Amino acid sequence: MNMENQVTDSSEERTFQYQRTLPSLPVPALEESLKKYLDSVKPFLNEEEYQRTESIVKAFENGIGKELQQKLLERAKVKRNWLEEWWLKVAYLEARIPTQIFHNFGGPGPYFEHYWPVKEGTQIERASISTWHTLKFWELLRTEKLGVHRSGNVPLDMNQFRMLFCTCKIPGITQDSIVNYFRTESEGECPSHLLVLCRGRIFTFDAVHDGHILSPPEISRQLTYIQKKCYNEPEGPGLAALTSEERARWAQTRDYLINLDPRNLSLLEKIQTSLFSICLDEASPQASPEDYTQVTKLALAGDPTTRWGDKSYNCITFSNGVLGSLCDHAPFDAMVVVVLCSYIDQKVVESEGRWKGSDKVRDFPWPEELVFSLDQKMLNDIAYAKEQYHKQVSDLQLVNYAFTSFGKSLIKKQKLHPDTFVQLALQLAYYKLHGHPASCYETAMTRRFYHGRTETMRPCTVEAVEWCKSMLDPDCTSGQQYQLLLKAVSKHNKLMKECENGKGIDRHLLGLLLVAKDQCLPVPEIFLDPAFSRSGGGGNFVLSTSLVGYTRVGGAVVPMVPHGYGFFYRIRDDRIVVACSTWISCSDTDAEKLWKSLVQSFHEIIQLTATAQL
């Protein structure tokens, strides 16, 4: 897939021009999905359990499943994407857990690898330059000059890019909602103010003056003003910490805040409509191109008073000039921020990390502080939110290391797909560490369809497990191991292609379950059968994985389940960079150990392919 940010000529295509003509998301055939589902549960069941599941699935296929499929097909006739509203609601908006911790994704800015090494005293300068590049990216979207992404020559859905700016999640008692104020130039006005969080205080200023975006020296003037004010005066109340709470609790507190003083609502609206938030963080994480652990952990789970967890994009600048980001997952997938940060990365390299334009600073208004009316109850709620947050994130173990022995170049030379290589190495690493296979989720992208987002690809296949067993079997020859590896590889590639073409199983099964719920029917037995959750269904995947891409931009998430692993990785020509997370309170999992096992697996697969191809 071509994710380069071609900036188009005004005469050429526009960013959102194919949205009207993209194909609708298809509904897979019931029989096909159920057959694939049965195949995917095999690694987790013994013979007897499998036969029981098989009869449950057959009964579903010949019974209620038929009716539900019919209803789903009817829904797909009237909606270009039958899944979209459901997915947003079920995967994100109905979640009542603290989404900032459990759903958001975060990551390190790659800029310290070249022109912006760790250096105290650079925070404001770098924040200003990266903000300026981000505003230029916003301008590209406003003028629809960001090149359309393609898979081969098929245009992909670009809708998620509308959610990067001027977007915010609002907590509700039973369900959250998303507000989005972004407009292209042809659609009309778009808010243009920025949000700045610093030492528990919240500021805002307009990024545009007299029709032109502020230059880095002008942004620097604003950020310096804010920083001086925050360092010379007492810390602020840290209202932003409330966004890290359980959703119903935050919703109640927010209602209370609004009732306390009607002005509080207009201040909240200022936050919600803002372009994105700039977080001036006091921490100084260590960072090197081989070890991103500290910066990634602080981006994902740092100071809750300097992140507005419900904002779609928080750009974090640490006091030593290292950057990071934290994003709400509800409005878009990580790909959007990867594209933005790759764009910034490219621009930082092109300009050697400096601003080479005019130092002239125009006369325009100073930043405005958003001062909320708070009472003692509000202050207590903020203190409680901080305490709960720190309790939860102190349980997070995260490592983010670079494997530098080889990367994409050598893997491709061995005729393997780099992503499949990493996924199978992970299967082997887990198997060696735990002695059994794990249900595994890999993100597949369905953007060739209208408003397509993701599908679940299940990498823990029968073929992968057979191969893992062979690697631990002293009686297996390397020739046999290699043949089993090739079988596992081709199965993985086939499943991934099917998912990308709208023929996955997890979203289809979810659709059938939701039709039953909508019709007030009892939950079909296929979803209550232990095989469903054991194989990962219902958000129970032990390994939650995603390829972040082939760029310098990485990221991380927390595990999906208490005994699970979060596993994000990116692949470069000469290295593989992995962010692995676990919960310390689970004694069975250890991110550091999985990493070590993974490194071993990388070497073993390459040795196996090299030997076999002699």
Side-chain angles (χ1 to χ4, degrees):
M1 186 181 80
N2 188 356
M3 298 251 285
E4 293 308 307
N5 299 288
Q6 318 92 333
V7 176
T8 66
D9 209 9
S10 57
S11 60
E12 291 176 27
E13 61 183 20
R14 296 181 320 283
T15 307
F16 304 112
Q17 83 174 50
Y18 299 110
Q19 294 301 116
R20 281 194 206 85
T21 54
L22 287 165
S24 299
L25 185 70
V27 175
L30 182 64
E31 188 187 353
E32 252 179 69
S33 286
L34 294 177
K35 198 170 134 211
K36 285 184 209 167
Y37 170 67
L38 278 174
D39 189 45
S40 79
V41 302
K42 274 187 188 148
F44 311 102
L45 308 176
N46 61 31
E47 196 49 51
E48 193 184 321
E49 291 167 328
Y50 179 75
Q51 279 169 355
R52 185 173 168 267
T53 294
E54 193 176 33
S55 61
I56 290 170
V57 170
K58 286 282 167 264
F60 178 76
E61 187 180 341
N62 300 320
I64 187 69
K66 269 203 173 78
E67 277 173 60
L68 300 176
Q69 174 77 349
Q70 211 35 56
K71 291 269 191 306
L72 194 54
L73 289 166
E74 282 163 28
R75 179 182 170 95
K77 272 194 192 116
V78 294
K79 290 185 184 291
R80 288 184 63 193
N81 187 320
W82 58 264
L83 176 66
E84 184 179 16
E85 290 160 43
W86 276 346
W87 179 248
L88 190 60
K89 208 167 80 170
V90 174
Y92 300 113
L93 302 180
E94 284 178 348
R96 300 293 82 198
I97 53 176
T99 51
Q100 181 174 333
I101 300 173
F102 292 99
H103 284 181
N104 283 27
F105 53 85
Y111 326 109
F112 67 81
E113 291 186 23
H114 39 79
Y115 289 100
W116 285 353
V118 174
K119 189 181 174 197
E120 289 298 335
T122 58
Q123 183 179 25
I124 297 297
E125 184 196 357
R126 291 176 186 179
S128 304
I129 294 173
S130 68
T131 297
W132 185 75
H133 289 309
T134 309
L135 292 169
K136 295 303 276 183
F137 191 83
W138 168 62
E139 269 188 349
L140 286 181
L141 288 175
R142 285 266 293 149
T143 54
E144 292 196 63
K145 286 185 180 167
L146 178 70
V148 177
H149 293 165
R150 286 183 152 72
S151 177
N153 52 9
V154 179
L156 299 176
D157 185 278
M158 297 294 283
N159 183 61
Q160 292 183 49
F161 284 93
R162 299 184 66 97
M163 310 306 262
L164 181 56
F165 297 107
C166 309
T167 301
C168 198
K169 191 164 63 184
I170 295 175
I173 300 294
T174 57
Q175 182 184 325
D176 296 347
S177 55
I178 291 176
V179 288
N180 170 254
Y181 301 91
F182 173 81
R183 298 288 177 271
T184 62
E185 268 183 7
S186 62
E187 289 164 348
E189 289 292 302
C190 177
S192 57
H193 60 286
L194 291 162
L195 190 67
V196 183
L197 298 154
C198 182
R199 297 202 75 195
R201 296 166 74 173
I202 305 171
F203 297 82
T204 177
F205 65 88
D206 207 310
V208 177
H209 180 66
D210 280 349
H212 294 281
I213 64 171
L214 303 189
S215 67
E218 291 173 331
I219 296 166
S220 176
R221 180 195 93 154
Q222 302 295 65
L223 297 182
T224 303
Y225 169 86
I226 289 168
Q227 194 181 50
K228 279 198 174 132
K229 205 170 166 55
C230 291
Y231 279 82
N232 292 331
E233 295 168 16
E235 253 181 60
L239 186 81
L242 295 170
T243 63
S244 70
E245 289 212 286
E246 287 179 356
R247 305 307 293 172
R249 192 182 161 91
W250 164 216
Q252 282 167 330
T253 307
R254 185 176 177 279
D255 287 344
Y256 179 86
L257 178 66
I258 292 164
N259 289 329
L260 203 57
D261 185 333
R263 279 175 313 192
N264 286 341
L265 175 60
S266 61
L267 297 180
L268 283 168
E269 283 170 347
K270 249 320 210 241
I271 292 171
Q272 287 153 202
T273 54
S274 66
L275 281 165
F276 62 96
S277 78
I278 300 168
C279 314
L280 298 177
D281 198 302
E282 292 179 81
S284 293
Q286 284 314 302
S288 79
E290 279 68 57
D291 184 356
Y292 305 76
T293 300
Q294 276 192 21
V295 57
T296 304
K297 185 163 184 188
L298 284 173
L300 188 63
D303 176 7
T305 67
T306 50
R307 324 266 185 275
W308 195 269
D310 293 341
K311 242 0 231 173
S312 61
Y313 177 50
N314 291 273
C315 176
I316 305 159
T317 312
F318 294 102
S319 86
N320 58 356
V322 171
L323 278 83
S325 52
L326 176 74
C327 303
D328 175 25
H329 205 332
F332 55 65
D333 302 310
M335 167 279 304
V336 173
V337 177
V338 172
V339 171
L340 166 66
C341 294
S342 297
Y343 169 86
I344 298 171
D345 193 46
Q346 187 191 323
K347 297 296 173 193
V348 169
V349 171
E350 281 170 17
S351 63
E352 298 166 334
R354 299 199 303 276
W355 166 246
K356 297 177 175 178
S358 161
D359 285 339
K360 184 174 172 289
V361 173
R362 294 170 290 174
D363 187 25
F364 52 89
W366 292 100
E368 167 202 347
E369 183 168 9
L370 305 184
V371 182
F372 286 81
S373 305
L374 304 173
D375 63 2
Q376 195 51 50
K377 179 195 173 326
M378 280 301 307
L379 297 173
N380 295 346
D381 281 356
I382 294 168
Y384 178 79
K386 284 200 256 191
E387 189 191 327
Q388 292 301 105
Y389 175 85
H390 289 300
K391 202 153 116 193
Q392 184 60 58
V393 300
S394 67
D395 191 33
L396 181 65
Q397 181 193 18
L398 184 139
V399 298
N400 190 0
Y401 300 136
F403 168 82
T404 54
S405 303
F406 58 82
K408 191 172 68 181
S409 304
L410 183 64
I411 298 167
K412 286 179 95 163
K413 217 162 119 183
Q414 304 296 346
K415 302 188 172 46
L416 292 175
H417 189 298
D419 178 57
T420 312
F421 173 89
V422 175
Q423 284 288 340
L424 287 170
L426 174 62
Q427 291 297 318
L428 180 59
Y430 184 94
Y431 197 96
K432 284 200 293 203
L433 203 55
H434 294 275
H436 57 84
S439 59
C440 182
Y441 163 103
E442 181 183 1
T443 311
M445 181 201 71
T446 54
R447 286 175 62 207
R448 53 190 68 181
F449 302 104
Y450 176 77
H451 286 192
R453 285 186 63 170
T454 59
E455 173 59 271
T456 299
M457 191 256 144
R458 297 184 168 204
C460 186
T461 59
V462 172
E463 291 80 354
V465 175
E466 284 305 309
W467 168 70
C468 287
K469 286 179 179 165
S470 80
M471 293 297 281
L472 297 174
D473 182 349
D475 297 332
C476 245
T477 67
S478 59
Q480 291 167 316
Q481 291 169 336
Y482 183 64
Q483 287 312 310
L484 289 169
L485 171 69
L486 293 184
K487 272 188 184 157
V489 165
S490 80
K491 176 67 163 280
H492 188 101
N493 295 346
K494 175 175 176 278
L495 288 178
M496 183 52 96
K497 199 166 230 83
E498 286 170 354
C499 286
E500 289 173 349
N501 285 314
K503 291 186 160 69
I505 54 176
D506 284 77
R507 304 291 183 267
H508 186 195
L509 289 173
L510 174 69
L512 297 168
L513 172 63
L514 294 175
V515 169
K517 279 195 174 158
D518 274 5
Q519 305 283 314
C520 300
L521 296 167
V523 174
E525 199 182 352
I526 183 172
F527 301 108
L528 303 169
D529 173 23
F532 182 68
S533 56
R534 219 182 284 174
S535 63
N540 287 292
F541 290 97
V542 173
L543 293 169
S544 169
T545 79
S546 199
L547 165 68
V548 187
Y550 299 94
T551 72
R552 266 197 289 261
V553 182
V557 286
V558 303
M560 200 183 277
V561 291
H563 58 290
Y565 292 87
F567 188 90
F568 268 33
Y569 54 100
R570 59 189 184 86
I571 306 170
R572 303 287 289 159
D573 284 339
D574 64 341
R575 64 187 52 215
I576 301 166
V577 185
V578 171
C580 180
S581 62
T582 48
W583 297 114
I584 296 165
S585 53
C586 174
S587 56
D588 292 340
T589 56
D590 185 325
E592 195 78 51
K593 280 185 183 160
L594 186 71
W595 162 254
K596 287 189 174 127
S597 183
L598 182 74
V599 167
Q600 213 181 339
S601 297
F602 285 159
H603 286 298
E604 281 179 34
I605 300 179
I606 279 295
Q607 275 164 340
L608 181 63
T609 55
T611 316
Q613 288 170 11
L614 285 177

